[in-house]
Amino acid sequence: MRRPQGIHLPTLTGRARSDWAVLLLMGLVAMLTVALTAAVAPATERAADRAIAAAVADAGPRGAVVATLPEWYDDPRGKTRDPSTAVQVRQDTDYAFSAMPPELARVLRPGVTSVTTPALQLLDAGTGRFLQLAYVDTAGAPPAVTWAEGGAPRASTDVGDGTSGDEPWPVQVAVSQEVADALGVRVGDRLPAKDEFGRTLTIEVSGTFVPVDEGDAAWQVSPRMLQPVVGTADGLPFSSGAALVSAESLPDLRFALPGDDLTRHVVFTPEPSRVRWRQAEVLERSIVSLQSSAALASGEISWDSQLGSVLQQGRAQVASARGQAQVLVVGLVSCALLVLVLGAQLLVVRRESTLSMVRQRGASLPGIALELVVEALPVAGVATLLGLGAARVLGGSGGWGWSVAVLLVASTAPALLGAAAAARVGDARRAPANRIARRAAARSRRLRRLALEGAVLAAAVLSYTALQQRGVVEPDSPGGDVTASSAPVWWAVVGAVVLLRLLPPLLTWALGLARRSTGSVAFVATARLLQTATRVLPVVVTVVAMAGITLGLALTGTVRQGQADGALSAVGGDARIDAEPDDGLLDLAHDLEDATGVRAAAAGRVEEGVRVSSARGVEVVRLVVVDSAAYERLLLASDLAEAPGLGRLRSPAAGPAPALVRGGDARLVGDLDVTWEEADVPLTVVGTAPDVGAPARAVVVVDAEAFAVAGGVAPPNTVWAVGPGSSAAVAAAAPEVPESSVATYADELRTRRDAPLPSVLVALALVSSAVLLALAILAAVLAAVVGAPARAAALGRLRALGLPTRDVWRLLVVELALPVAVAAIAGSAVGAAGAHAVLGSLSLELVTGQPGTPSLVVPWWSGLAVLVLLAAVVVVAALELRSVLRRPLGEVLRA
Amino acid sequence: MTDPVEPMVAVQGLTRTYGSGAAAVTALHDVSFDVAPGEMVAVVGRSGSGKTTLLNLLGGLDRPDTGSVRIAGHEVTTLDDEGLSRLRRDSVAYMFQTFGLIPALTAAENVGVPLRLRRTPVAERDRRVELLLDLVGLRDHAHQRPGELSGGQQQRVAIARALAGSPRLLLADEPTGQLDTETGLSVMSLLRAVVESEGVTAVVATHDALLMSLADRVLAISDGRVTG
Ligand SMILES: Nc1ncnc2c1ncn2[C@@H]1O[C@H](COP(=O)(O)OP(=O)(O)OP(=O)(O)O)[C@@H](O)[C@H]1O
Ligand SMILES: [Mg+2]
């Protein structure tokens, strides 16, 4: 009547009912893993979008796409004033827009069209007044202004038809109030002007205006429209500004000056929120093709943009973060899969007798396996669906790969292990009576184990090599796979294999030590451990989980420390004031030093883009002129940097100022000349500058007094302060400093912490560490439950021999906790070593924004994970003791 | 000092019922008997007759519903956990059908375990272990582990272990159940001889008629009652 291959549903449901807890646990693990892995991809993608947008926003004008239109053609037979010039300009703009690849056009704001002249010299009142003329048009409209006096420039048609060539042709312009003041011009002024080739025109001021929005991109065309420059050149005063030309006066400008004086640009600024990480690569390519397609010389539009490199940098950051996320996810999934296998093992152990009975009655192995799959598949399937659903609710799911792996393992592991257990029934090879056969079997077991260990080691070496060679690779980039990202997991498995090899000799040695003792607990416990502590799966799970936790926490710790170091270095202290150069800042620094909570303060001049020449060449540097004594105190009082050379900067009564340099490709050696306010100040290099900030250029540091002796006067424009009260003290002092701004370490740090990529990475590392800890605890519980029946019997026999209850408790704790403790500590060590080994390949500096690879920080509290795990195991031991003592010993021994 | 005529084991009105209500199984029903010091008693009966239940109650591995068990004049049924541990450590030894040796330990080390439980000094322990292994004829196998011994050898190690703590009462539940008849017989004769030489009282459960002949007395039970 029996169908040996058939599936008997009542048997199935009965079995599932008796093991519902294990099945439920496996389902939960599968669900959690699927949910997490499915949620990671969209979360990192959102962070990637925000990171790319932030990179584009931070780039500002550098991210713009600039079209330079071909030079206007001047008919050599003489030109006429063309009233439709503005319309033509508009059409050219439209043409430029349409010439762009659509994917690029989509992320750009409407272009700002400009026609600008060089700075024209005003001829009426002495030398030194320059005015640039600029026509600006954004989507058909001039920049919004309110008129302080007069009105918008108009056409100059009333002076003629434009054919007369004798008089310099008049062009009406409007100027901002600031430019009017700086250049001393008024509404109604007629200003003769010439370009550098002596070609002339007459500039008529039609009105003065106040901009409605100073931040309008239109003003970027010529910043001097709003901010004129007043200074001295070659000892003579000069002032320089820019004036606005309107659509009506543009034909006059076009007519007044030859085409080669009129530069025509269309500037397209990207809208950061429209730039998506997924399109970034396509955008990058289209910018490259745009730039290389046409040339100005051929009368076509020429294109120029840094957006490509901005996007490339952003993508590199995203790639690095995604790679790191992948490392964490691989660790998590591996551990979850191992726990699922452990759960399957528990199921099989609980059913060993049933399975062997079924097998003895003639059921085929495929039949047994099929039954077990039919039982496990619904659990795994529902768990996977729930996990995907949870991920969707949490914010979108993506990436099926891991879910499939989880589903596969959760549904087939019980079947495979079950079939293997059933196959062992009546397998004569298991314990052959014949000694030679037994030896042969032992040898083949040893060989199998060696082969397996060799395979693990090979995988570890392979993945590590992949990691070293190409770093963590983006999951879906070409050639991207999990080889490199699985390196830490493989090394953890290698660690577990080594531990499994080391444990027996170590325990044998310990047993030898205990042999000469009088008592029983240590001796019997060691003997039990020799038998139970080397079960492979629990050790591997614990080591892999703890290694993953340590790696994740090391990643978190390193990123956070890197952010802190970077923030401190970028600010140059706990707080900083930037102001206009003023000797008063020296007094401010003195006052700050006395403020409560300020450990040290120093004032200095920080100037970017200073030319320094040496015998080996010229370098543009950041020049830092400081009160070196105060600055040394500042560095010593903070974690900023070592400052061994600062003491050597003071001293000379005459001659070149001693200088410390950093960077500059060995060009900055020996004697240097700094171009400072039109003069050369001699310096001589005496050492290496402290490593503060992340300057794009080389840095030269000199002492203010020595710099003055050498002929340079540099009043400070910056004050740094360190100490817990610095922010408050600086904030209190800043309002008294005109045109100053304050930067604080706390703000800078917050900005860095809130940056999309680091925050999502740190969150993922923390979540995965927590889940790994839960998995490690679960694995310990499962392992305890798997071994519980055999342990109860063994302890029962010892109790029958007279082992007292308190010693039963000791044996239980040692047997359960010691292997977990050893594996957990080994896992932590492997994790820390792994973090150390892969740190460089993870490119964390791209995420922390530091100049170099951040130094590894393994937070002390990662050790807490071991303690939590052990506490959980002790609880398990206590529960097991209760259940062991509850049953009469006689009953335990019957089992 | 124990009165020489006082029995080593005195069982009075012992009843043990498993479960309750309709599913209740009375495994032992008002069982009473005595075992004199140095006597070897075979408890025989069909499977399910209550042999294991009886031995468990004698060794304090289980508690009766009613009745008393006195071993060397001490009431066992009222002992607390600690008292039972001490009883098993000092006075009553157990032998299991499945031998119950610790696989990681050698024969000698297994024999030493009860002595460790009593914290016997090392030198004395070594002496006693050697003596006992000699007694069971396993002197040459002292350093082999259970996995490297035959079933009969393992049970002989178990005999040595049971006697190591110098118990006054030895309880053995089908000690030959896992052995073939011939080996079983030799193990049983060894047990008989050793018990005699050590002056131990023994209660051995078995359903092998052949082994009964080696006992001083046979206690037959059937359906939880002593029938002879
Ligand atoms: N925990 C228990 N719950 C219910 N009934 C039990 C329990 N333990 C034993 N029994 C029943 O008590 C009766 C006596 O069992 P016991 O094990 O003492 O017999 P036994 O003579 O040792 O048998 P065997 O020769 O097979 O070992 C049997 O009917 C058995 O089914
Ligand atoms: Mg029995």
Side-chain angles (χ1 to χ4, degrees):
Chain A
M1 283 301 183
R2 227 182 103 65
R3 293 170 302 153
Q5 295 250 2
I7 291 165
H8 188 233
L9 262 180
T11 320
L12 261 179
T13 49
R15 246 192 252 155
R17 237 198 320 276
S18 71
D19 290 324
W20 65 270
V22 184
L23 287 168
L24 183 72
L25 267 182
M26 290 177 66
L28 278 177
V29 169
M31 186 184 84
L32 193 65
T33 314
V34 166
L36 258 174
T37 50
V40 163
T44 43
E45 178 150 352
R46 275 197 302 277
D49 282 342
R50 280 188 288 143
I52 291 286
V56 171
D58 288 348
R62 222 164 61 84
V65 177
V66 180
T68 303
L69 297 171
E71 194 176 288
W72 260 322
Y73 173 72
D74 289 332
D75 193 335
R77 291 165 296 173
K79 62 178 179 180
T80 54
R81 181 182 180 281
D82 181 355
S84 68
T85 310
V87 175
Q88 283 170 27
V89 167
R90 180 88 221 123
Q91 283 166 350
D92 287 346
T93 303
D94 290 345
Y95 173 69
F97 191 75
S98 67
M100 265 189 290
E103 65 273 12
L104 182 58
R106 242 195 315 273
V107 303
L108 298 175
R109 295 186 182 131
V112 175
T113 308
S114 64
V115 179
T116 52
T117 67
L120 305 170
Q121 191 176 3
L122 302 187
L123 297 171
D124 62 332
T127 55
R129 292 200 300 165
F130 296 88
L131 196 61
Q132 182 190 23
L133 305 189
Y135 167 72
V136 187
D137 171 278
T138 311
V145 296
T146 53
W147 295 102
E149 201 188 340
R154 303 187 153 280
S156 307
T157 41
D158 52 327
V159 298
D161 60 0
T163 47
S164 143
D166 312 336
E167 270 282 293
W169 190 256
V171 179
Q172 290 203 4
V173 302
V175 292
S176 68
Q177 208 88 67
E178 287 83 0
V179 171
D181 293 345
L183 271 73
V185 298
R186 283 198 311 274
V187 176
D189 278 359
R190 289 172 60 86
L191 310 161
K194 62 162 195 190
D195 70 2
E196 59 179 325
F197 302 109
R199 297 177 290 210
T200 59
L201 77 167
T202 304
I203 297 171
E204 291 184 5
V205 180
S206 71
T208 58
F209 62 81
V210 178
V212 171
D213 175 14
E214 281 190 47
D216 189 339
W219 303 117
Q220 293 285 330
V221 165
S222 178
R224 289 188 181 185
M225 280 195 277
L226 303 184
Q227 287 160 353
V229 176
V230 179
T232 51
D234 297 325
L236 296 170
F238 81 95
S239 54
S240 174
L244 197 59
V245 174
S246 69
E248 276 112 278
S249 64
L250 181 63
D252 298 314
L253 180 63
R254 165 82 179 91
F255 180 64
L257 287 176
D260 61 12
D261 259 351
L262 300 172
T263 309
R264 298 193 293 145
H265 286 307
V266 188
V267 177
F268 298 97
T269 321
E271 170 63 48
S273 64
R274 272 188 235 156
V275 185
R276 303 257 158 229
W277 164 71
R278 284 223 178 266
Q279 313 156 343
E281 199 179 349
V282 175
L283 286 181
E284 234 180 280
R285 273 204 301 274
S286 60
I287 290 163
V288 170
S289 67
L290 196 61
Q291 276 173 303
S292 61
S293 65
L296 200 53
S298 62
E300 296 261 354
I301 301 171
S302 91
W303 297 90
D304 191 26
S305 178
Q306 302 286 305
L307 184 59
S309 72
V310 168
L311 290 175
Q312 197 184 7
Q313 275 169 20
R315 285 204 313 125
Q317 286 177 359
V318 170
S320 148
R322 278 168 60 86
Q324 289 144 25
Q326 168 101 330
V327 168
L328 294 172
V329 167
V330 169
L332 189 66
V333 173
S334 315
C335 199
L337 295 183
L338 288 169
V339 169
L340 286 176
V341 176
L342 196 57
Q345 216 175 42
L346 174 59
L347 273 184
V348 170
V349 167
R350 286 169 67 95
R351 294 166 175 185
E352 205 137 37
S353 54
T354 333
L355 285 173
S356 66
M357 210 163 68
V358 171
R359 173 71 173 152
Q360 274 161 350
R361 284 200 200 136
S364 72
L365 291 180
I368 291 173
L370 184 66
E371 267 195 12
L372 291 169
V373 169
V374 167
E375 174 193 51
L377 192 60
V379 178
V382 168
T384 306
L385 286 180
L386 284 177
L388 287 174
R392 190 157 287 269
V393 169
L394 285 174
S397 62
W400 278 79
W402 296 126
S403 311
V404 170
V406 170
L407 181 66
L408 207 67
V409 171
S411 53
T412 59
L416 293 178
L417 291 178
R424 280 197 298 268
V425 173
D427 184 348
R429 276 174 311 171
R430 222 182 144 197
N434 173 332
R435 177 181 290 237
I436 294 169
R438 217 164 38 218
R439 237 181 248 158
R443 190 165 58 236
S444 84
R445 258 203 311 280
R446 262 204 310 279
L447 283 177
R448 259 209 307 278
R449 181 175 172 180
L450 268 179
L452 205 61
E453 288 169 344
V456 166
L457 192 66
V461 169
L462 190 75
S463 59
Y464 185 69
T465 317
L467 185 65
Q468 290 292 311
Q469 277 174 1
R470 34 176 207 198
V472 283
V473 180
E474 268 193 278
D476 47 13
S477 68
D481 52 44
V482 293
T483 315
S485 351
S486 64
V489 171
W490 282 118
W491 282 105
V493 177
V494 168
V497 165
V498 170
L499 184 62
L500 285 166
R501 280 280 176 191
L502 284 180
L503 269 179
L506 276 177
L507 286 169
T508 306
W509 174 74
L511 188 67
L513 291 187
R515 192 166 280 135
R516 300 318 298 165
S517 67
T518 328
S520 55
V521 175
F523 188 67
V524 173
T526 318
R528 289 280 310 156
L529 283 173
L530 259 171
Q531 194 182 337
T532 60
T534 51
R535 289 193 47 225
V536 174
L537 210 45
V539 170
V540 173
V541 176
T542 309
V543 171
V544 168
M546 293 315 284
I549 291 172
T550 310
L551 180 67
L553 295 182
L555 204 74
T556 309
T558 305
V559 166
R560 290 182 78 88
Q561 185 63 49
Q563 289 168 332
D565 291 348
L568 188 65
S569 183
V571 173
D574 289 320
R576 188 186 72 215
I577 300 180
D578 295 308
E580 295 298 310
D582 179 4
D583 276 326
L585 292 178
L586 287 169
D587 298 329
L588 178 70
H590 275 299
D591 293 347
L592 277 177
E593 274 203 301
D594 296 334
T596 48
V598 177
R599 282 202 294 269
R605 176 67 169 269
V606 179
E607 206 63 49
E608 300 290 347
V610 176
R611 271 170 53 97
V612 173
S613 55
S614 75
R616 298 216 186 150
V618 176
E619 184 82 30
V620 177
V621 304
R622 167 191 285 187
L623 179 67
V624 182
V625 184
V626 286
D627 171 354
S628 60
Y631 195 61
E632 188 168 18
R633 279 199 301 281
L634 182 94
L635 293 187
L636 287 175
S638 74
D639 296 330
L640 271 167
E642 301 290 309
L646 281 170
R648 272 178 276 157
L649 292 185
R650 282 153 268 164
S651 65
L660 302 177
V661 302
R662 175 171 288 274
D665 297 336
R667 263 196 294 274
L668 299 175
V669 287
D671 291 330
L672 309 177
D673 272 323
V674 174
T675 309
W676 186 252
E677 297 189 333
E678 319 282 325
D680 279 349
V681 180
L683 307 181
T684 175
V685 176
V686 297
T688 307
D691 187 9
V692 178
R697 301 194 175 96
V699 181
V700 174
V701 180
V702 294
D703 180 66
E705 251 169 65
F707 195 61
V709 167
V713 176
N717 61 355
T718 309
V719 177
W720 302 275
V722 297
S726 302
S727 300
V730 164
E736 285 151 43
V737 185
E739 302 210 20
S740 64
S741 63
V742 172
T744 65
Y745 166 73
D747 288 344
E748 178 69 26
L749 184 60
R750 198 169 316 119
T751 310
R752 285 169 188 243
R753 294 253 152 104
D754 292 344
L757 290 176
S759 56
V760 81
L761 196 63
V762 165
L764 178 62
L766 290 177
V767 168
S768 79
S769 298
V771 173
L772 283 173
L773 182 57
L775 287 176
I777 291 174
L778 186 58
V781 172
L782 287 177
V785 175
V786 168
R791 194 160 41 243
L795 289 174
R797 277 187 229 110
L798 285 166
R799 282 163 70 202
L801 293 178
L803 186 77
T805 306
R806 61 169 186 285
D807 287 349
V808 174
W809 165 241
R810 286 186 198 156
L811 282 181
L812 258 181
V813 169
V814 171
E815 184 166 338
L816 288 178
L818 198 88
V820 173
V822 171
I825 290 168
S828 300
V830 171
H836 197 79
V838 302
L839 191 68
S841 317
L842 287 179
S843 322
L844 277 180
E845 64 278 6
L846 285 177
V847 175
T848 60
Q850 285 171 282
T853 303
S855 49
L856 181 71
V857 178
V858 182
W860 62 266
W861 41 271
S862 65
L864 284 184
V866 178
L867 294 184
V868 170
L869 179 59
L870 285 182
V873 171
V874 170
V875 169
V876 170
L879 291 176
E880 188 171 329
L881 180 73
R882 231 181 52 181
S883 98
V884 158
L885 293 184
R886 211 172 28 215
R887 290 165 66 202
L889 191 45
E891 201 178 305
V892 174
L893 290 175
R894 267 174 203 273
Chain B
M1 266 280 144
T2 319
D3 189 324
V5 293
E6 188 185 340
M8 178 57 69
V9 179
V11 175
Q12 261 305 315
L14 206 56
T15 300
R16 175 70 166 100
T17 307
Y18 294 110
S20 57
V25 177
T26 304
L28 280 185
H29 193 86
D30 194 18
V31 170
S32 305
F33 65 92
D34 286 351
V35 181
E39 198 179 10
M40 181 165 178
V41 174
V43 180
V44 299
R46 283 185 297 113
S47 178
S49 54
K51 303 183 292 293
T52 300
T53 305
L54 176 62
L55 256 62
N56 283 350
L57 289 172
L58 294 187
L61 304 184
D62 197 0
R63 290 185 194 278
D65 301 323
T66 56
S68 90
V69 176
R70 294 175 73 83
I71 296 198
H74 298 286
E75 181 60 48
V76 170
T77 53
T78 54
L79 284 177
D80 62 0
D81 208 49
E82 183 114 343
L84 286 173
S85 292
R86 202 174 316 120
L87 174 79
R88 293 195 286 259
R89 192 182 65 212
D90 297 335
S91 312
V92 180
Y94 236 94
M95 275 181 67
F96 312 95
Q97 187 174 352
T98 52
F99 322 138
L101 302 176
I102 299 174
L105 299 183
T106 62
E109 285 163 353
N110 266 297
V111 173
V113 168
L115 297 164
R116 286 177 178 274
L117 291 172
R118 315 175 87 180
R119 305 197 68 81
T120 309
V122 178
E124 194 185 324
R125 183 178 79 210
D126 288 349
R127 258 202 316 281
R128 179 113 182 107
V129 167
E130 204 183 309
L131 184 86
L132 283 162
L133 283 176
D134 254 350
L135 202 63
V136 298
L138 288 179
R139 170 190 266 272
D140 297 336
H141 300 275
H143 299 295
Q144 276 164 264
R145 277 170 240 284
E148 301 154 353
L149 294 171
S150 72
Q153 286 171 330
Q154 287 186 50
Q155 195 57 304
R156 274 147 71 188
V157 175
I159 292 173
R161 179 177 68 179
L163 297 174
S166 309
R168 309 173 77 170
L169 175 63
L170 176 68
L171 301 173
D173 192 356
E174 301 192 32
T176 59
Q178 302 239 313
L179 306 173
D180 59 72
T181 318
E182 206 174 312
T183 317
L185 198 60
S186 81
V187 164
M188 201 63 174
S189 351
L190 175 70
L191 187 62
R192 162 88 258 188
V194 166
V195 160
E196 219 150 82
S197 73
E198 293 274 313
V200 178
T201 311
V203 179
V204 183
T206 177
H207 44 210
D208 190 333
L210 198 60
L211 302 181
M212 293 173 212
S213 58
L214 292 168
D216 299 320
R217 182 150 71 92
V218 172
L219 192 72
I221 53 175
S222 161
D223 287 339
R225 292 166 204 270
V226 178
T227 54

